[in-house]
Amino acid sequence: MKIAIMGAMVEEIKPLLEYMQDIKSFEIANNIYYKAKYKEIETVIAYSKIGKVFASLSASVMIEHFKAQKLLFSGVAGAINSSLKIGDLIAATKLCQHDLDITAFGHPYGYVPEGKVYVESDKELLSLAKKVAKKKGIELKEGIIATGDQFIADSSKKEWIKKVFNADAIEMEGAAVGVVCDAFDVPFFVLRAISDAADMDAGFDFDKFLESSSKVSADFIISMLDEMV
Ligand code: ADE
């Protein structure tokens, strides 16, 4: 079983690499991929760079080139649901692209023909995550994650995304990874720890909490691997 673990930024995968053994790096299509072992589990780890295009490219490489059979995403997100505070963990039940808009042709936001508004996370990985959370006494929230090629630092934009997609958190890669995994029939799981509230303070908070929240997410992913060994 080979498991892909992805982040978008180096800060998101650095804490994961610290747990790994036998790390070998490979450069493909302008990105570095790390083959590594965690106990008996073969992994491939990479940060894609920010945004949906880079995330799709990395997920595709991990599946097609490295033959990953499951994909776990670890990183940070902005909170939309006011119950989510900095450092809280949210696992996506389903994800959507909030910036996909061909409403001019009568379609709903987030939809293009032959696609779907929401892509669903793998149920087994979600229940594994819930089991891990329970065992470790960690609070893991579940909810809808909205993805788009925009860093949201504006309360009215955030409210619009909440209203249209019923989203709980926002980031810039998850749905893209989900669409790729869905197309290749690879089970996927997107985990995010909150770094900011997607409001006027978001840029400042993001810089301040990127590292600590990335570590919260990475540590949880490692606990999931422990459960898979
Ligand atoms: N990732 C973390 N915070 C974010 C925000 N406010 N908007 C988009 N992506 C994010």
Side-chain angles (χ1 to χ4, degrees):
M1 168 68 66
K2 182 167 299 162
I3 299 188
I5 315 176
M6 239 185 103
M9 301 173 73
V10 66
E11 291 83 352
E12 291 172 323
I13 66 153
K14 209 166 154 250
L16 291 163
L17 289 172
E18 280 161 16
Y19 288 98
M20 299 292 156
Q21 296 102 39
D22 305 338
I23 302 176
K24 292 189 188 77
S25 64
F26 300 83
E27 191 182 334
I28 297 171
N30 293 331
N31 230 356
I32 309 288
Y33 294 82
Y34 301 94
K35 270 191 176 182
K37 271 196 106 172
Y38 180 74
K39 298 182 178 166
E40 296 97 74
I41 301 176
E42 304 273 349
T43 69
V44 54
I45 299 174
Y47 74 93
S48 58
K49 302 189 279 271
I50 295 167
K52 294 194 295 179
V53 173
F54 286 133
S56 305
L57 174 61
S58 289
S60 302
V61 168
M62 286 168 134
I63 294 167
E64 280 290 272
H65 182 87
F66 290 99
K67 306 293 173 206
Q69 292 151 298
K70 289 181 198 286
L71 191 150
L72 311 177
F73 192 103
S74 179
V76 302
I80 293 187
N81 187 323
S82 58
S83 74
L84 286 167
K85 306 296 176 209
I86 287 167
D88 284 355
L89 280 169
I90 175 164
T93 50
K94 54 185 187 174
L95 304 103
C96 58
Q97 297 179 62
H98 67 76
D99 57 351
L100 190 56
D101 179 357
I102 56 162
T103 54
F105 299 94
H107 294 296
Y109 285 108
Y111 176 85
V112 290
E114 298 181 53
K116 45 195 175 189
V117 176
Y118 296 99
V119 60
E120 291 193 13
S121 308
D122 181 65
K123 300 253 179 333
E124 278 179 27
L125 288 171
L126 258 178
S127 68
L128 176 80
K130 282 195 261 184
K131 186 173 159 194
V132 166
K134 195 168 173 199
K135 204 163 158 183
K136 303 206 91 180
I138 296 170
E139 195 183 350
L140 173 69
K141 296 193 169 127
E142 289 173 73
I144 297 173
I145 292 186
T147 301
D149 283 328
Q150 298 158 352
F151 183 85
I152 305 295
D154 178 282
S155 296
S156 59
K157 190 96 212 237
K158 167 176 152 171
E159 285 312 312
W160 181 85
I161 294 165
K162 180 179 180 172
K163 192 178 83 195
V164 174
F165 295 101
N166 197 23
D168 297 291
I170 188 143
E171 37 83 310
M172 301 178 70
E173 298 81 21
V177 168
V179 169
V180 169
C181 289
D182 195 48
F184 282 111
D185 211 12
V186 168
F188 75 94
F189 174 78
V190 176
L191 181 73
R192 297 281 186 168
I194 299 301
S195 55
D196 59 84
D199 56 10
M200 61 188 277
D201 298 324
F204 176 83
D205 287 344
F206 180 87
D207 282 343
K208 187 164 169 202
F209 297 108
L210 170 63
E211 254 182 65
S212 55
S213 292
S214 292
K215 171 107 180 103
V216 170
S217 179
D219 285 350
F220 193 90
I221 292 285
I222 294 295
S223 299
M224 286 177 71
L225 296 184
D226 281 329
E227 200 61 40
M228 290 179 192
V229 175

